[in-house]
Amino acid sequence: MPVELKSEAELDQMRRAGRVNGEVRALLMEAVKPGVTGLELDELATREIEKRGATPTFKGYAPGGRPPYPGAICFSVNEELVHGLPTDRVLEEGDIVSIDVGATLDGWVSDAAFTAPVGEVSQEALDLIRTTREALWCGIETARAGNRLGDVSFAIGNHAGPYGIIAEYGGHGVGRTMHEEPHILNMGRAGTGMKLRAGMVFALEPMLSIGHPATQELDDRWTVVMRDGSLSAHWEETVAITKDGPEALTRI
Ligand code: MF3
Ligand code: CO
């Protein structure tokens, strides 16, 4: 069963955790430039999360026998899809980079991601980034009490156009822990699945690729790359279903 917020006070806690995430993500977005490394961005994220009284959710996370996650952010360049480790790899003009951030405030978790161009990038890359973000917002708009989970998945996938939709990863419930039920596919059939209710909170996170959507996990047990080496993008927001509609808690 998905966790549901029990009160307006709990929703406010999630709002606070989400706000930290949005602020930190905005700073990271500004900091993405040619010459910057993943480790530098990771330090920036850690500092800014902690300055706001929160802790980096990802640090030390070790699901299913994986080595503890070493950073505050995931840093995935070009054909790296998600969960790339922040290293001293230098961003270069023309790259695109996906950065995922988690912030836990007073025991409540927010999870969000963006893909950004590094300097001037190809029109092809810009179109991929824009479409992935739009697909996320199609999903957010559909996250309403009375709709079904399949409506959200369908709305996301329906906006993917010519791009590959990654099937091995998806969104999830989020609240007191980062990964809660349900798993949320980025494609699906409208009118199917669980009924949505006010109080549910989801991390919606479409991932699209220019080429074939098959992925591969590297030997570090974290970094996920596209098998065919094609460019990929990833956007994520933590979204609360309120009685007044969807509320993107991590929006920048
Ligand atoms: N948004 C990512 C996810 O839901 C965050 C992963 S963080 C990590 O999978 F700690 F697992 F790297
Ligand atoms: Co997530």
Side-chain angles (χ1 to χ4, degrees):
M1 284 293 286
V3 171
E4 291 177 44
L5 301 177
K6 286 190 291 291
S7 62
E8 194 67 24
E10 290 193 349
L11 176 57
D12 272 337
Q13 297 273 40
M14 282 298 286
R15 284 187 174 121
R16 279 196 275 276
R19 196 170 312 129
V20 170
N21 197 310
E23 288 173 6
V24 173
R25 227 153 28 109
L27 293 171
L28 286 165
M29 231 183 225
E30 278 172 32
V32 167
K33 288 188 181 60
V36 171
T37 70
L39 281 173
E40 286 166 353
L41 295 174
D42 192 65
E43 278 163 26
L44 171 79
T46 304
R47 196 167 60 237
E48 295 295 336
I49 289 169
E50 289 176 350
K51 209 201 255 178
R52 289 165 174 77
T55 53
T57 312
F58 300 173
K59 198 153 201 137
Y61 185 60
R66 288 188 161 64
Y69 193 77
I73 63 169
C74 301
F75 174 80
S76 311
V77 183
N78 296 337
E79 82 292 346
E80 292 174 352
L81 172 69
V82 287
H83 305 167
L85 308 181
T87 63
D88 55 10
R89 176 174 177 168
V90 176
L91 289 176
E92 288 174 28
E93 180 98 21
D95 287 341
I96 65 173
V97 61
S98 299
I99 297 181
D100 202 323
V101 187
T104 304
L105 184 66
D106 299 330
W108 297 89
V109 177
S110 58
D111 183 12
F114 65 90
T115 302
V118 182
E120 291 263 328
V121 307
S122 65
Q123 189 58 46
E124 190 186 40
L126 289 176
D127 290 343
L128 171 70
I129 293 172
R130 180 178 38 82
T131 303
T132 308
R133 187 181 206 176
E134 288 169 359
L136 168 60
W137 281 93
C138 290
I140 292 172
E141 272 305 307
T142 317
R144 290 174 188 279
N147 282 352
R148 289 182 181 273
L149 195 60
D151 297 326
V152 177
S153 298
F154 173 78
I156 293 171
N158 191 45
H159 195 78
Y163 300 114
I165 303 171
I166 283 76
E168 291 109 314
Y169 300 90
H172 48 92
V174 56
R176 292 239 177 223
T177 64
M178 177 161 59
H179 288 139
E180 295 181 357
E181 287 181 51
H183 179 66
I184 306 174
L185 290 169
N186 287 315
M187 59 185 105
R189 272 176 51 206
T192 66
M194 179 184 89
K195 260 251 175 93
L196 306 183
R197 285 197 295 269
M200 292 177 176
V201 185
F202 298 148
L204 301 180
E205 47 182 319
M207 289 154 246
L208 301 180
S209 68
I210 284 182
H212 193 277
T215 66
Q216 185 182 0
E217 188 184 283
L218 300 187
D219 287 343
D220 64 19
R221 302 287 320 274
W222 279 110
T223 311
V224 178
V225 299
M226 301 312 299
R227 273 186 186 270
D228 68 2
S230 67
L231 279 188
S232 60
H234 175 216
W235 282 85
E236 177 178 22
E237 299 267 1
T238 295
V239 182
I241 301 175
T242 77
K243 55 182 177 5
D244 302 317
E247 189 175 320
L249 305 179
T250 43
R251 72 184 300 166
I252 295 171

